[in-house]
Amino acid sequence: MNNFRVDPFAELEQRVFAALQTYSNVHRGSGHFSLATTHLFEMARNIILKFIGLNKRKYIVVFCSALGASKIISQPDAESYRILSGNDFGVPFGIRAVALKRKNLPKGVPFQTGGGTARLIAANWVVWAVKPYKFEAGTPAIINIIGFAVALQMIERYGKDIFRNLSPEKLSAKEILYHDEMAKLKGPELLDEIRLKRIGRGISVPTTFGESPFINFDSAASTQTFTPVWDTFRFAWRQPNEVQPEIIQEVKTICAATLGAPLTEYDVIFTSNTTEAINVVAESLTREPDTGSEQVLLTTTLEHSSNDLPWRNLPGYSLIRLSVDNEGLVDLNQLEQLLKTTNFEQQFGKQKIKLVAVSGASNVLGTFNNLAEISRIVHNYGARLLVDAAQMVAHRKVDMAGWGIDYLAFSAHKVYAPFGSGVLVVRKGLLRFNPDEMETVRSSGEENVGGIAALGKALNLLQRIGMALIEKEELELTGKLLQGMSQIPSIQIYGITDAQSNRYSQRGSVIAFSKKDTVSGKMANELAIRGGIGVRYGCHCTHILVKQILGVGPGLEKFQRLFVSLFRKVELPGVARVSLGFENTREDVEKFLRILSEIAGEQTNPNCKDIITENQNLPVISTKEVKKQMADFVKTVSRRVYFQE
């Protein structure tokens, strides 16, 4: 019986909105928002186990899509499992919560590989992550998962049918996707207005100098969102089943237009994230007919693990990697020579490079490689091109047909729509699944109609602002960051650093840096404690590249492998990373430079105000007290989102 006297979605949305106000990606983020979101995300596991009535000492929850759930329960060791879906209760979040016995978790290589599934990676070996993260490839649908946990708490309180048999206002796809109070704005006017509508804007967090507005400099990990995108999400998830196909088709049209991928030439397939999309392509390759050649996959040392791990151990294929320089650029002459000698001159016998898989932009060095030229070379020698565009779509124009890209994957949570949808755009006829298998892939991604709608809205906003304007704004802010950071002698910046160089146009708004004799985690935590600035630290799922730029040789690499295997919680050498989006401001950059200058011991950075002068009349709070206040901040957020015991 439905005991809820008002619209249950209203309370659910209120609590999910509270989670959005302090949203960041989970784990390895230093800021207050990442701590809060991580806490909410991990609490969701226990809430789900409690709802099912399972002991958390014996069971563990893995979050995945319907496609992922079907794969994990098919593993030989996966016994005594329980699966919960939002569809079971009338809340279409597009996720599965799979509860498995800890002792029966599948062994060996995970069923999907990529971001987050590995603890340490080298060119020819992997130390897999601890459970459950080993089975959660790529960034999960964090907000959807938190919302699902809240919904289960509401069901426990008010009855199992509270979200069923409701009569919401029926809206068309065009009303949901295109109507908002800024519909008549575009370009600079829209950019100025949308910045004011960022959810979480102005929220203050504790620092050593008291409460200060939080600054999110962690957009490469995940982007926050805006009120119109949130409204689109919540309107979409309320719609009856008959409206959902209309929404999905309209968002496919938006994706095609945004990416320069005409629907007459390309299929748009929704997944859970970039990682799942690339795994789909990898599985498809194993279904291709035997040509008599020794099939080779070519990738680069630049790649995120989502575009590296899925290609390893692929039946019938070998893997080779093209080197990149320390600025993150592929040697196009080397690429052409390798393809020529392998595919045309057949200097390596029957070997043939079938697919080249590259990042559109580096998540560590911020480099945008020349995809049009890479594609020309790749196709000239009879191979195909896959682009991991996770770090690209929100920052630069993409032209799949014009550049000749065969496959492209990206995630909505890096495009201001953190509601769990991913996209695979693929040239028609390239996927080798039978109709039933293809339907399983499609239907899995399309369950998350709210996430798909939010992505469509976010892409529409980007196009109305204009990618050229976004690129210009981000380049200016990045240049200011680089100029200020370069004036701090103890700070080492990686990648392209000279804003006057010919290569600077290939520089994105991601900056990796380090300080001598200081681990990256300490640097990141100091930025949070002193300035309320959220960044990320570690190897960023790009271990091969990070070890290259840090000069980690084979001997140290072997030692790290042994150390990580023995001590699971040890922090490895890595780099801190600041990454921004069009929502960031010059004031954000100036504050970051002031705080970084103080941390580095350079009290009077010539490009920055003196931190001591600015804060000289403020009482200084101890680090210990700030950490306590940060913990209290996380608890306060939790009380706003979840029902407390």
Side-chain angles (χ1 to χ4, degrees):
M1 181 178 182
N2 188 339
N3 297 318
F4 211 88
R5 296 186 178 180
V6 295
D7 178 4
F9 276 104
E11 178 166 347
L12 178 59
E13 289 166 1
Q14 179 184 358
R15 292 178 178 274
V16 173
F17 184 79
L20 276 175
Q21 286 182 304
T22 56
Y23 172 75
S24 180
N25 208 345
V26 296
H27 309 123
R28 305 293 270 180
S30 59
H32 305 64
F33 283 17
S34 184
L35 293 175
T37 305
T38 300
H39 179 73
L40 294 172
F41 178 69
E42 294 301 335
M43 277 189 72
R45 298 189 203 274
N46 292 336
I47 290 169
I48 287 164
L49 286 175
K50 179 178 178 294
F51 184 88
I52 301 173
L54 296 177
N55 188 324
K56 66 181 180 182
R57 292 190 180 90
K58 294 182 180 180
Y59 285 83
I60 197 165
V61 170
V62 175
F63 295 116
C64 50
S65 65
L67 178 64
S70 68
K71 291 182 178 297
I72 195 170
I73 65 175
S74 68
Q75 302 297 303
D77 296 326
E79 300 174 355
S80 303
Y81 61 85
R82 291 279 302 277
I83 299 180
L84 279 186
S85 164
N87 295 339
D88 301 334
F89 307 99
V91 280
F93 285 107
I95 58 168
R96 296 291 186 276
V98 184
L100 296 142
K101 275 190 175 180
R102 290 177 181 269
K103 67 178 183 179
N104 293 136
L105 285 169
K107 308 295 192 298
V109 178
F111 61 91
Q112 284 187 349
T113 58
T117 61
R119 174 89 169 105
L120 184 63
I121 297 171
N124 55 4
W125 52 259
V126 178
V127 177
W128 297 108
V130 296
K131 53 192 178 186
Y133 314 119
K134 175 180 175 181
F135 306 104
E136 293 175 341
T139 298
I142 297 166
I143 289 295
N144 300 37
I145 288 163
I146 293 168
F148 184 40
V150 172
L152 292 180
Q153 287 189 319
M154 292 177 64
I155 288 165
E156 281 188 317
R157 283 177 168 243
Y158 306 121
K160 65 183 179 67
D161 296 323
I162 60 169
F163 295 105
R164 295 191 181 279
N165 303 317
L166 300 176
S167 300
E169 178 186 1
K170 186 175 177 180
L171 301 172
S172 70
K174 292 187 183 299
E175 287 175 310
I176 292 171
L177 291 167
Y178 300 116
H179 290 190
D180 61 65
E181 60 187 13
M182 301 177 297
K184 295 182 179 180
L185 299 180
K186 61 181 181 179
E189 290 183 333
L190 178 57
L191 179 59
D192 290 341
E193 188 66 22
I194 199 70
R195 282 172 171 156
L196 300 176
K197 296 189 179 297
R198 177 170 57 87
I199 296 175
R201 177 178 177 270
I203 287 185
S204 292
V205 295
T207 73
T208 53
F209 294 101
E211 294 285 316
S212 180
F214 181 80
I215 295 175
N216 181 48
F217 264 7
D218 195 18
S219 290
S222 198
T223 48
Q224 296 177 293
T225 193
F226 306 97
T227 305
V229 179
W230 160 241
D231 286 342
T232 299
F233 175 75
R234 65 190 186 87
F235 291 151
W237 75 358
R238 287 170 172 255
Q239 294 307 303
N241 291 338
E242 59 266 26
V243 179
Q244 294 181 12
E246 180 189 346
I247 294 171
I248 291 166
Q249 187 56 45
E250 190 64 29
V251 177
K252 287 183 179 182
T253 301
I254 293 171
C255 286
T258 301
L259 302 171
L263 292 177
T264 53
E265 300 176 35
Y266 291 90
D267 289 322
V268 177
I269 298 163
F270 296 109
T271 62
S272 62
N273 52 35
T274 304
T275 303
E276 186 172 83
I278 293 174
N279 274 270
V280 167
V281 177
E283 184 175 352
S284 173
L285 289 181
T286 66
R287 313 293 182 87
E288 298 204 355
D290 186 357
T291 61
S293 301
E294 296 176 11
Q295 304 293 352
V296 178
L297 302 167
L298 175 62
T299 185
T300 80
T301 56
L302 186 74
E303 304 309 311
H304 188 281
S305 57
S306 292
N307 199 30
D308 177 275
L309 294 179
W311 310 121
R312 301 194 188 202
N313 305 315
L314 204 63
Y317 288 83
S318 58
L319 175 66
I320 57 177
R321 294 182 186 85
L322 193 69
S323 62
V324 298
D325 63 25
N326 281 351
E327 290 185 336
L329 291 171
V330 172
D331 185 329
L332 297 178
N333 291 326
Q334 184 187 11
L335 171 65
E336 183 159 22
Q337 185 65 20
L338 184 56
L339 282 160
K340 180 181 178 182
T341 55
T342 304
N343 287 11
F344 270 25
E345 297 176 356
Q346 299 182 332
Q347 293 186 16
F348 304 101
K350 292 185 177 181
Q351 286 192 1
K352 181 177 181 180
I353 298 171
K354 173 170 276 190
L355 178 74
V356 178
V358 300
S359 292
S362 169
N363 72 316
V364 172
L365 299 177
T367 309
F368 291 88
N369 271 289
N370 187 338
L371 293 178
E373 184 61 13
I374 289 173
S375 182
R376 183 194 68 77
I377 294 168
V378 167
H379 288 99
N380 194 42
Y381 293 97
R384 302 176 201 158
L385 178 64
L386 178 143
V387 174
D388 171 0
Q391 298 292 334
M392 188 174 191
V393 173
H395 306 283
R396 298 288 170 95
K397 180 182 177 181
V398 178
D399 184 4
M400 287 188 68
W403 298 342
I405 296 170
D406 299 297
Y407 313 82
L408 182 141
F410 72 101
S411 289
H413 77 95
K414 296 186 190 292
V415 194
Y416 302 101
F419 303 101
S421 188
V423 181
L424 171 62
V425 184
V426 53
R427 198 179 295 279
K428 286 183 179 295
L430 289 186
L431 292 183
R432 298 286 183 162
F433 297 107
N434 66 44
D436 289 343
E437 292 170 331
M438 197 67 250
E439 179 56 29
T440 298
V441 173
R442 288 184 187 277
S443 62
S444 173
E446 290 179 4
E447 278 189 8
N448 185 14
V449 66
I452 292 169
L455 170 63
K457 183 66 174 184
L459 291 177
N460 176 255
L461 289 169
L462 290 176
Q463 293 306 302
R464 284 162 53 192
I465 294 169
M467 297 310 297
L469 177 58
I470 289 171
E471 179 180 347
K472 176 176 177 290
E473 288 282 316
E474 291 182 354
L475 276 174
E476 287 179 1
L477 289 181
T478 303
K480 187 173 181 64
L481 269 173
L482 288 170
Q483 182 184 22
M485 293 172 72
S486 67
Q487 297 297 318
I488 307 174
S490 59
I491 295 297
Q492 170 72 51
I493 305 170
Y494 301 95
I496 299 168
T497 58
D498 183 3
Q500 305 305 315
S501 74
N502 293 332
R503 286 182 160 191
Y504 186 66
S505 62
Q506 293 178 264
R507 182 61 147 111
S509 54
V510 175
I511 302 174
F513 64 98
S514 63
K515 181 177 181 292
K516 187 177 180 181
D517 301 324
T518 304
V519 295
S520 60
K522 182 178 179 181
M523 285 285 295
N525 288 327
E526 284 292 308
L527 285 164
I529 290 168
R530 298 191 191 203
I533 301 169
V535 300
R536 198 149 291 261
Y537 64 93
C539 291
H540 311 284
C541 296
T542 319
H543 298 213
I544 296 174
L545 177 66
V546 169
K547 284 185 282 190
Q548 173 184 323
I549 64 177
L550 291 179
V552 175
L556 180 54
E557 185 177 64
K558 290 179 181 178
F559 175 74
Q560 286 180 347
R561 182 183 187 182
L562 175 63
F563 208 56
V564 165
S565 300
L566 294 174
F567 305 100
R568 286 286 185 174
K569 293 185 178 180
V570 69
E571 182 179 331
L572 292 170
V575 292
R577 183 186 71 187
V578 53
S579 55
L580 51 82
F582 69 77
E583 74 278 12
N584 290 116
T585 65
R586 286 152 186 78
E587 291 75 21
D588 294 341
V589 170
E590 289 167 0
K591 182 175 181 180
F592 170 82
L593 292 174
R594 291 197 301 269
I595 300 297
L596 183 64
S597 184
E598 183 194 49
I599 293 169
E602 307 293 331
Q603 303 287 0
T604 55
N605 182 345
N607 279 313
C608 310
K609 295 178 182 178
D610 188 340
I611 187 74
I612 300 299
T613 301
E614 179 169 289
N615 294 314
Q616 64 182 351
N617 296 320
L618 297 175
V620 177
I621 303 169
S622 70
T623 296
K624 181 179 179 180
E625 177 59 25
V626 174
K627 288 182 177 180
K628 179 181 179 300
Q629 291 179 6
M630 289 173 72
D632 291 340
F633 174 84
V634 170
K635 291 176 183 177
T636 299
V637 171
S638 181
R639 286 193 293 270
R640 290 174 182 160
V641 175
Y642 291 133
F643 296 92
Q644 303 300 306
E645 294 288 334

